[in-house]
Amino acid sequence: MEPSNMPVIGQIVRVNRGRDSGKYAVIIGVVDQRYVWIADGGKRKFDEPKKKNIIHLDLLPAVSSEVADSLRETGRVTNGKLRFALYSYVDNLSEEALEKGE
């Protein structure tokens, strides 16, 4: 596995398999080279994250520094910060799509 494909805490991912397929989440923990813990702050809260195999995720280039810093400093992150990070990323994606469509 290439180092660039390694997941990092705070990285935004898109789920490809399972019940949450097509939804976005944030990596809040790395178990090993194969598994990560993800949460979205809504349905999947920080206190009840989902353990996912990274082959079932699209590792996106965006990393939320707020989430990563909060986890590094306190070991926790609020569900509001997770929702804000995801909303900001998805909103940015839709703006780029609109600009390309014009």
Side-chain angles (χ1 to χ4, degrees), residues 19-35:
R19 184 175 291 167
D20 297 332
S21 181
K23 296 185 178 170
Y24 293 91
V26 180
I27 295 175
I28 60 169
V30 178
V31 178
D32 55 27
Q33 291 182 349
R34 194 171 185 185
Y35 292 99

Side-chain angles (χ1 to χ4, degrees), residues 6 10 13 15-16 18 21-22 26 33-36 42 51 57 60 63 66 69 76 90 95:
M6 293 301 294
V13 298
V15 180
N16 289 331
S21 181
V26 180
Q33 291 182 349
R34 194 171 185 185
Y35 292 99
V36 294
K51 184 177 179 183
L57 301 171
L60 302 171
V63 176
E66 287 182 354
D69 292 343
R76 295 187 57 82
V90 172
E95 283 180 10

Side-chain angles (χ1 to χ4, degrees), residues 19-20 23 40-45 48:
R19 184 175 291 167
D20 297 332
K23 296 185 178 170
D40 64 9
K43 177 183 174 233
R44 189 63 67 186
K45 307 261 192 229
E48 296 177 9

Side-chain angles (χ1 to χ4, degrees), residues 49-102:
K50 174 74 176 162
K51 184 177 179 183
K52 286 294 267 187
N53 190 325
I54 63 169
I55 64 172
H56 296 159
L57 301 171
D58 279 338
L59 299 177
L60 302 171
V63 176
S64 171
S65 58
E66 287 182 354
V67 172
D69 292 343
S70 180
L71 284 166
R72 196 175 307 113
E73 291 169 9
T74 65
R76 295 187 57 82
V77 65
T78 64
N79 291 311
K81 277 188 186 176
L82 292 172
R83 288 190 304 268
F84 178 76
L86 292 173
Y87 175 78
S88 299
Y89 179 76
V90 172
D91 191 45
N92 189 27
L93 276 182
S94 60
E95 283 180 10
E96 288 177 7
L98 286 174
E99 289 174 4
K100 288 181 181 177
E102 291 181 4

